[in-house]
Structures are given as C-alpha cells and as structure tokens.
Amino acid sequence: MKYIVCEKPQEFLIKEKPMPEPKEGEVLLKIRRIGVCGTDIHAFGGTQPYFEYPRILGHELAAEYIKGNAKGFEPGDKVTFIPYFSCGTCVACRNGLTNCCANIKVFGVHIDGGMAEYVTIPEQYLLHGQGLDYDELALVEPLAIAAHGVRRAAVKATDTVLVMGAGPIGLGLIQFAKIAGAKVIVMDINEYRLNFCKEALQADETINPLHDDVAAKLAELTNGDMANVVIDATGNQKVMNSAFNYISHGGRFVLVGLQKGELSFSHPDFHKRESTLMSSRNATIEDFEYVMKCLKEGKIDPKKYITHRADFEDMISEFGKWIDPKNNTIKAIIELN
C-alpha cells in the first residue's frame, strides 16, 4: 500500500509498504478521506510540540471498515474513530478524562497516522458512521476539538465569546458557541476569513488586529464589559499573552491553540477579575457523539468548511498551495477511492 510521510520539516515523501494486518483487538480500515489540520501544518513547518520525525500524519479521518471482530460492525460500513489512544490506568483515565491521558498517543502525532491507504487501530476507538457521508465523517474530529473547548468554557446564552483565530478549529468554536446561544466576536488578521465567519457562520462581530485596536474595539462592542469567554485557536504566543487584557471580570480564558513558549500576564490584573484560565486538549466520546448529532440534525453544514480537495497522490504538490493564505483555504480534504 502507499503512504505519505513527513520525513523532516518541509518534506513529504510518498512511499510503499506492506498492507497492515490487524492483531487481536484491532480492525483494518481503508482510508477514504483525510482532513488537513493545523497540527499537520505545524508538523510540516517544524513548529509542532511533542513531535518527532519521520512521521505519517493524519488524524481527521473517514474510513471504510474492512475486517476485524468489532461488535456491530460489518465490512463496508462507513466509520470514523477517536484518534487519541489512552492508557486507561493513569489518574486522568481513572477519572474519565481520557482526552488528557498522561500517556496519550495521538494518531498522526505521537504515532504514525492516517495518511495511508490502510490503517489498523484498536477496535475500542471505532465509531459508527450513523448515516453520515465520508466528507462529514472527516470533519467529526476537528469539530469535536471545538465542541470540547466550548464545553470546557461552559458557554451559555448570556455570554459574549471572543474567538481568536478563524482557522478550521476556530470556525468550529464559532459554530458551537452560536449553537449555545452566545454572542460571538471573531478576531483574525485574514479579512477573507472574517467575512466568511459573518456570512457563513453568523458571527456577530469581527475584529482585525491589523487595523483595529483590539482592546478598544472589544470594549466598544461590549459596552465596556469585555468578553465573558475568550478562546484562543491561534496557537500564537503573542496573541495568547495579549488576550489576558480581553477577559471580563469573572471571565474565562480557554487555550485550545498550542505553542512552544511560555505565557506571561499581570497577576494583579488577572487576580482582581477572579479570572479562570484553562486549557482544552483533544476531545472525549461525548464530544464526538454531540458533533455527529449536530451534523445529522443539520446544525452544521460541512459544505461550508471544505474548500479544497486533492487525490491522495496529488496531495504533496497541493499542500503548499493550501497553506498559502492568498488561496483562502478553509479546510482541505484528501480523497482516496
């Protein structure tokens, strides 16, 4: 079978190896769709934490069930799976927080992932397609990341949410915050994405730091209250550090984006607001199920997300175009027949 490996930063290669055979407790899947995400882009660029090369990327996946002994699954079934393999015994796992397992192995990050024609995975992570098509199933994982971030923030209808970063995860954050009934303000430096958020996702307001004073504009939009909930989806250290100035009194700051450096903020300013700072990592089965429910009910339209496509063997030549801002990529999908 063929697979694509990131040999080192800035280098993808297409190679061949024998098709895997499932071991006891594993299933064999034929990959049908691969979503390209921020993690893949950061890995290609050499800026992804917890990463070693060479690595087969890919964890936003839709697949066809080929064989195995997973109960309730038949060959030919459309499936997806939770790509966060947890140990089951650490303190997080014992408390049901498998998304932040102390020994977690994320498919396509810590271990080789799904940019391949076939993969084997432990059957316990397999999810029924529930009537969704392959495009929709490839969006479940990134949307689950967003759903988990909004759930961590406990967003409610009376909140004003500032989403920083309008990439694919940011777009999901906007949608789930809107589903929760909140007012949503989006911050990004890409005017195309900001317009997309207002027109396609019904974001209430937008801020562009290239020509807006963010704190002043946010104060204007909130009558001086600032944002009850600030969620970072940029993974940018400077943006994260600045965001402590955007939190309302009694507000929450949730870090969905990830960067390698340190955060720095004024303790007195943070303390006087009784602010809450939290991270949001991966997602749980509850988030995956909620996303699939929202897709089935039409609360999220996958056609608004997928803007670029390529066949598996064309992916390497297309990848550079997808990450070029002038091409206005929202979500790129790799297709396999």
Side-chain angles (χ1 to χ4, degrees), residues 133 135-136 139 196 300-307 309:
D133 63 29
D135 282 355
E136 292 170 315
L139 292 175
F196 178 89
I300 296 174
D301 181 2
K303 295 183 181 66
K304 292 179 178 177
Y305 282 81
I306 301 170
T307 55
R309 296 176 182 270

Side-chain angles (χ1 to χ4, degrees), residues 9-294:
Q10 308 294 328
E11 183 179 36
F12 280 122
L13 296 176
I14 189 164
K15 296 184 174 182
E16 291 191 7
K17 65 179 179 179
M19 194 170 82
E21 275 296 319
K23 302 173 185 174
E24 183 68 27
E26 292 184 340
V27 296
L28 177 67
L29 305 178
K30 179 176 176 60
I31 298 299
R32 293 294 193 176
R33 298 287 188 278
I34 306 163
V36 176
C37 75
T39 299
D40 301 326
I41 293 168
H42 291 311
F44 181 74
T47 60
Q48 177 65 25
Y50 319 128
F51 204 83
E52 295 179 356
Y53 302 87
R55 178 68 69 222
I56 301 172
L57 307 180
H59 60 267
E60 299 180 0
L61 303 166
E64 177 186 345
Y65 185 86
I66 300 299
K67 66 178 179 178
N69 295 312
K71 187 176 180 180
F73 291 86
E74 298 290 338
D77 284 352
K78 291 182 174 69
V79 299
T80 188
F81 61 91
I82 300 173
Y84 325 125
F85 301 163
S86 52
C87 70
T89 59
C90 73
V91 62
C93 290
R94 295 198 306 271
N95 285 288
L97 304 174
T98 53
N99 60 299
C100 58
C101 165
N103 306 299
I104 201 164
K105 301 295 183 188
V106 177
F107 202 67
V109 179
H110 306 102
I111 57 176
D112 284 340
M115 284 192 185
E117 293 181 303
Y118 293 87
V119 300
T120 56
I121 65 157
E123 63 184 30
Q124 70 199 71
Y125 300 102
L126 198 60
L127 296 173
H128 283 284
Q130 298 187 29
L132 300 175
D133 63 29
Y134 286 130
D135 282 355
E136 292 170 315
L137 289 172
L139 292 175
V140 170
E141 192 273 343
L143 287 171
I145 296 280
H148 188 74
V150 170
R151 184 157 68 95
R152 284 280 284 158
V155 173
K156 54 188 182 298
T158 54
D159 285 328
T160 295
V161 179
L162 173 65
V163 174
M164 304 189 306
I169 300 299
L171 301 184
L173 291 165
I174 295 163
Q175 291 230 266
F176 289 114
K178 291 295 292 182
I179 290 171
K183 176 181 178 179
V184 180
I185 301 169
V186 184
M187 186 182 90
D188 200 279
I189 60 172
N190 186 315
E191 203 63 36
Y192 172 83
R193 287 180 178 269
L194 291 177
N195 290 332
F196 178 89
C197 291
K198 291 200 77 169
E199 295 170 7
L201 305 182
Q202 287 74 57
D204 295 281
E205 303 285 352
T206 60
I207 299 174
N208 188 332
L210 294 182
H211 53 71
D212 294 323
D213 179 322
V214 177
K217 182 72 178 288
L218 185 61
E220 176 189 334
L221 294 173
T222 61
N223 296 317
D225 289 342
M226 308 307 276
N228 305 87
V229 178
V230 177
I231 310 180
D232 178 76
T234 67
N236 181 287
Q237 184 184 38
K238 184 178 179 180
V239 172
M240 290 179 178
N241 286 336
S242 298
F244 287 91
N245 299 314
Y246 310 151
I247 311 169
S248 71
H249 281 251
R252 290 96 74 195
F253 184 14
V254 184
L255 303 175
V256 177
L258 179 64
Q259 51 86 34
K260 288 184 174 182
E262 296 180 351
L263 296 180
S264 177
F265 57 92
S266 166
H267 183 195
D269 286 343
F270 184 80
H271 194 100
K272 73 180 182 182
R273 296 187 180 103
E274 198 179 49
S275 306
T276 300
L277 173 64
M278 65 185 85
S279 60
S280 178
R281 190 179 188 197
N282 300 325
T284 66
I285 180 64
E286 292 83 6
D287 301 308
F288 277 78
E289 290 173 345
Y290 176 62
V291 167
M292 295 176 85
K293 180 174 181 287
C294 288

